[in-house]
Structures are given as C-alpha cells and as structure tokens.
Amino acid sequence: MPGAESVTPTIPERLWIANGWEDAAGGGTFPTSNPATDEVLARVPAAEAEDVDRAVGAARGAMENPDWCRMSPHGRAELLWKLADAIEAEADELATLETLDNGKTYFESRKVDLPSVVENFRYFAGLADKIQGATIPVAGPFLNYTLREPVGVVGCIVPWNFPLSLAAWKVAPALACGNAIVLKPAEQTPLTALRLGELAGRVGFPPGVLNVVSGFGETAGAALVRHADVDAIAFTGSTPVGKTIMREAAETLKKVSLELGGKSPNIVFADADLKDAVRGASTGIFYGKGEVCAAGSRILVQRTVYDDFVAAMADRAEKTVIGDPMRRDTRLGAIVSEEQLERVLDYVEAGQADGARLVAGGERARVDGRGNFVTATVFADVEPEMKIAQEEIFGPVAAIMPFEDLDDAIRMANRTIYGLAAGIWTRDIGKAHRVAAEVRAGTVWVNTYNQYDSASPFGGYKHSGFGRDLGWEAAIEKYTQVKSVWVAMDR
Ligand code: ADP
C-alpha cells in the first residue's frame, strides 16, 4: 500500500473541551483496548454529567461568540476544508489509531474510511455557503422570506463500528450549517474522535465549536440527551438505545435523528451473474467484520440457483483470511470487544439450535494466541422466523434463505422490523426497478453493495430510524431550522 504506512500514533488521553485537553471532573477513567491483542491502548476520561455540562456550556458559548456565530459561510467553508486537509495529512496515523482501537483491517481504515472522511469534510465545506432561504409570495402588502439558521448546540452520539467516519457524517454537516457540537464517541472506540476535536482546534475552529467527551452511554450519553441546553441529538447506534434516546429527549423537546440497526436483505435472482452476486453478498456481510448497520445479513436466493450459491458462498467464507488487522492479506479483523464476540457466538448457537445448516465458520479464533476473532460464518436453510433471520447480529454471520419468485422475494425482504438497506442481484432491469420500489429500505443497491457517497442520503425506514445522514438536503433539514420573516411594505 504505497503512501499508506502505519505509524505510531499519538494517543489522546483527555477530554477535548473548548479547544483544550481536560480531565473528567471526578477523575474517572476507563481503558480502551486493542481487540486484536487484548492490550490496553490508553485510559481515557469517563465523562460524567458534570463534564457533559461543561462541554455543552462551551458549545453554547461558541454559539454566542461572534467569532463563530457571525463567521461568514465562506469562513466556515474554509475551516472545513482546512480540517479535511489536516485529516488527510495525518491519515496514516488516524487509520492506525482506528485499527488499533476497533480491530478492523488497516486496509479498511486507510483505504476506505480515511479517504471518505476527508471527502466528507470537503463535500460539506462546499455546502457551507450554499445554505439559503426563500422569498415567498404571500397575500397582502408583505415581503416574506425565510432564513435558514443553525439549530444550535448539537449532541452527536456515535457507535464503535466506524468511529471516525460516522463522527464525520454528523460533525461535517453540523459545522457547515453553523452549529456547535458535543460529540460522544462509543466507549469501545474513543480515540480517533478525540483526535478529530484536536485537529478542529488546530485548524482554527473557535473554542467550543467542537467538543469531544469520551464516556459511557448510560452516563455521558444520557446526560447529553437530557441536557436542557442541547437543541438536537444526532444518533447512530442500536435500535433499543435509539428508542431510549427518543423517550429521554422528549422531556426537553429536542430535535432527534436516529440511524439505527438493520437486517438488510441481499436478494439474488437466478438470472444474476452468480460470481458477482457471491462476491457482493460476501463483502455485504463480511466487510467490516459484519459490524455494519447496513450489512447484507439476510441473503435471499432464488431456488433454482440456491445450492450452487450456498456452495460458492461457503467456499468464499472458508477462504476469508483472519489475521492481524495490520497485515495486508488480512480480510477479517478482530471483533470490537469480548462482549460483542460473545454475542456473535450466542447467535451462532441459536442458529444451530433452531435447525439452520452451518456451512462455514461459526468458531471463535485467535491470532498468535490472542484477540477476539470469529471465522466467517454462513448458515443455509434459514427460516424467516428464526432468531438469526430476525435479529441484528452485528458480526460476520450470513443467513441464507431460498425464495421461489419475485413476489416471494419482496415479501421475504420486507418481513423484518428493520428497513435500512437492501441489495438486488439480477440482469433484468425491470425486475431490479420493481424490487427497488417495493422493498422498504432507505438505500437499495442493484448489482453492487455497500456503496456510499457524501452526496447520497443514507438512513432508515421502520425500526432503522429516521432522518438521513449525507446529502445536502438531508443536512439542511437536520442541522438548520427555518425562520419566516414578515415585513410590512405599506407603512
Ligand atoms: P452498539 O450496539 O453499536 O454498541 P449502542 O446503541 O449501544 O450501539 O451505542 C451507540 C452509542 O450510543 C455509543 O456511543 C453509546 O455509548 C451510546 N449510548 C448507549 N446507551 C446510551 C444512552 N442510554 N443514552 C445515550 N447514549 C447511549
């Protein structure tokens, strides 16, 4: 990987508040470790309500500071662009940090996550000076126009699977729209988010515009959601926590957006290019260790090609190399934590107990005698009501099910509480469009999977949440509010 060498990263060990490093007021810390080796990487502060209050106070201060609230949109664009440049300059280091903290392969961190984070900040830099209101033709002698104003203080709560990318998905548009932010990364993976705060301060964002507090969901996260001076919560995480956040945010009537779990169908028709479909289905579930909210975890395959598909998928899974995430030939890194590993193995057990046929993987593995690894796992003959077909596993576990015809496929695809994404593999363009229209999911991929772009909205239907990340329209909807101004013209 030329130009992508891992380097020894600087490990942040304090909270980033008002452009300075701080300890938690209570002095509490917690360890964050490397899931591939079990080694503790750092102890970071465990922010409590008092620390969150300090960070929110800093953010509110930024919203009242003319250096930020009166900064021209061009100024915001310039700062966002500089932040993208700073991230790009430190991409090797940030990618290393991400891999050490999360266990994903360095290839994924360096070649996929980091470039997309840089591009994300540049895309939203481009939005900053294009946010505008309208002049509205109202009845009577009035001029009526709208202003698009920042929502205010935004609490961003992100999970551990794409720590820096998902932080960027929220931070970049929220800053472009002129808000101030308190970002709470997941307790499993706080390191790159803390570095992001530092980089924002370094490139010139005024104090308090971006604060980063490491801490636990039930303490720091909950305090952010409950805080009376936070105007909006942008959340990515599990569906149960999303429900709690929505309930908790009701008390202070915050604007809430939720990008939650999924159990996405990847539908393979008999007329598909089977080689492509197998490749797509396997990256759909094994990329990112399957710790991907849009993972194509339910693979629906038309009966006439079912046996061939199952055999090819099992073969690919067996060849998926588990190893040190820093190694070039590793395709499956370490599961983020021991707790998550147990969860994944429990689902493997449930699949077997329910009578699904295990055709590949299903085992715990170690690399050099350590770490949280699970082999690429494929279940065939899964029934739609089985646990492994209904619940989000968040691990490298595929559930394959046969279907008969197009109507059957659509029915099965929609037989879930979730609606985040779906994949369709067919050479029949009419069939592709019909399924794309009828599947209830926020993103549909045809003859491809796991494509993202800052310009294209991403988010869920049903229990996968509401509100969209990415895309300029979704950003304006989420991170601004509209003010209607009336001017009498006859006096
Ligand atoms: P995952 O299953 O990916 O761990 P979670 O929904 O548990 O997803 O976590 C996503 C984020 O939500 C993390 O930053 C976590 O700390 C935070 N979180 C967990 N519980 C709460 C809560 N009650 N209130 C606010 N944030 C929370």
Side-chain angles (χ1 to χ4, degrees):
M1 273 185 274
E5 295 311 318
S6 63
V7 289
T8 306
T10 308
I11 297 190
E13 291 182 290
R14 301 173 84 190
L15 307 172
W16 182 257
I17 298 178
N19 282 357
W21 292 116
E22 295 194 15
D23 292 320
T29 62
F30 64 96
T32 181
S33 52
N34 179 348
T37 62
D38 313 321
E39 283 160 356
V40 172
L41 294 164
R43 291 194 70 89
V44 295
E48 303 275 344
E50 192 182 339
D51 306 297
V52 168
D53 186 51
R54 206 151 25 105
V56 171
R60 180 57 62 193
M63 288 311 294
E64 288 164 2
N65 175 1
D67 288 349
W68 180 241
C69 67
R70 305 237 178 283
M71 182 181 283
S72 74
H74 312 293
R76 293 203 302 271
E78 202 176 317
L79 281 181
L80 281 162
W81 197 274
K82 281 186 183 164
L83 182 51
D85 288 346
I87 295 166
E88 194 168 48
E90 300 206 2
D92 291 349
E93 188 176 336
L94 288 165
T96 306
L97 203 53
E98 197 80 313
T99 285
L100 292 177
D101 214 7
N102 166 281
K104 64 172 68 188
T105 64
Y106 184 68
F107 173 84
E108 291 176 15
S109 298
R110 183 63 187 88
K111 290 294 187 184
V112 182
D113 292 7
L114 260 297
S116 82
V117 168
V118 171
E119 194 269 332
N120 198 246
F121 276 100
R122 290 194 178 133
Y123 175 82
F124 285 110
L127 175 66
D129 56 6
K130 294 165 196 73
I131 299 164
Q132 56 195 31
T135 314
I136 300 172
V138 291
F142 301 103
L143 166 66
N144 179 258
Y145 62 93
T146 57
L147 296 171
R148 279 281 175 184
E149 299 184 340
V151 175
V153 174
V154 180
C156 301
I157 302 178
V158 295
W160 45 258
N161 55 343
F162 292 87
L164 190 59
S165 301
L166 294 181
W169 283 18
K170 302 193 187 310
V171 168
L175 292 178
C177 295
N179 299 280
I181 296 168
V182 177
L183 166 65
K184 197 208 79 68
E187 46 271 43
Q188 295 84 347
T189 55
L191 300 178
T192 47
L194 289 166
R195 289 296 315 280
L196 179 67
E198 184 195 14
L199 290 178
R202 196 195 294 169
V203 302
F205 280 95
V209 172
L210 176 60
N211 309 278
V212 187
V213 292
S214 51
F216 292 93
E218 305 73 29
T219 49
L224 195 54
V225 173
R226 288 190 197 123
H227 201 292
D229 209 19
V230 172
D231 301 291
I233 291 287
F235 174 76
T236 297
S238 62
T239 294
V241 173
K243 290 180 184 174
T244 304
I245 285 180
M246 198 164 164
R247 270 193 303 270
E248 292 284 325
E251 196 53 43
T252 46
L253 289 173
K254 289 180 176 60
K255 189 170 179 178
V256 173
S257 60
L258 305 171
E259 198 266 87
L260 308 176
K263 193 74 195 176
S264 300
N266 211 346
I267 309 165
V268 181
F269 287 96
D271 63 18
D273 178 323
L274 265 210
K275 244 176 128 174
D276 266 7
V278 170
R279 195 181 311 123
S282 102
T283 48
I285 184 63
F286 300 135
Y287 183 85
K289 309 161 265 168
E291 296 168 348
V292 178
C293 45
S297 49
R298 286 186 301 143
I299 304 175
L300 314 181
V301 184
Q302 196 153 18
R303 180 84 66 186
T304 48
V305 293
Y306 181 77
D307 290 338
D308 289 347
F309 183 93
V310 169
M313 192 72 192
D315 183 53
R316 242 190 121 87
E318 298 290 357
K319 290 184 180 140
T320 302
V321 179
I322 289 192
D324 174 356
M326 296 306 296
R327 280 181 60 105
R328 249 169 240 225
D329 54 350
T330 298
R331 289 291 169 275
L332 204 55
I335 301 293
V336 74
S337 64
E338 180 77 30
E339 189 189 351
Q340 184 61 17
L341 178 94
E342 295 299 336
R343 226 176 99 89
V344 173
L345 294 174
D346 283 352
Y347 276 111
V348 172
E349 250 182 72
Q352 287 174 301
D354 287 347
R357 179 162 58 100
L358 183 66
V359 294
E363 283 157 4
R364 175 174 192 158
R366 293 189 184 275
V367 171
D368 299 328
R370 50 195 191 166
N372 311 322
F373 296 86
V374 178
T375 50
T377 302
V378 180
F379 277 105
D381 306 348
V382 176
E383 300 286 342
E385 66 281 358
M386 287 180 187
K387 214 169 154 182
I388 57 166
Q390 291 293 331
E391 298 182 15
E392 185 176 44
I393 299 174
F394 232 60
V397 182
I400 311 184
M401 295 172 253
F403 70 84
E404 305 303 332
D405 56 20
L406 188 137
D407 289 332
D408 196 25
I410 293 170
R411 235 185 344 263
M412 283 173 74
N414 286 333
R415 205 165 149 188
T416 170
I417 57 167
Y418 295 110
L420 194 55
I424 305 164
W425 299 84
T426 178
R427 288 191 176 103
D428 178 339
I429 193 168
K431 206 186 276 174
H433 286 299
R434 194 175 145 206
V435 181
E438 294 196 19
V439 75
R440 297 192 62 208
T443 293
V444 178
W445 289 297
V446 180
N447 294 328
T448 184
Y449 208 85
N450 271 342
Q451 298 297 330
Y452 299 89
D453 192 291
S454 299
S456 183
F458 180 81
Y461 283 33
K462 304 195 280 184
H463 285 212
S464 294
F466 52 82
R468 295 289 179 267
D469 284 319
L470 310 180
W472 63 269
E473 284 169 296
I476 291 174
E477 187 55 39
K478 198 157 150 178
Y479 297 111
T480 73
Q481 52 195 338
V482 66
K483 178 183 278 175
S484 174
V485 181
W486 292 77
V487 182
M489 293 196 295
D490 60 347
R491 51 202 90 160

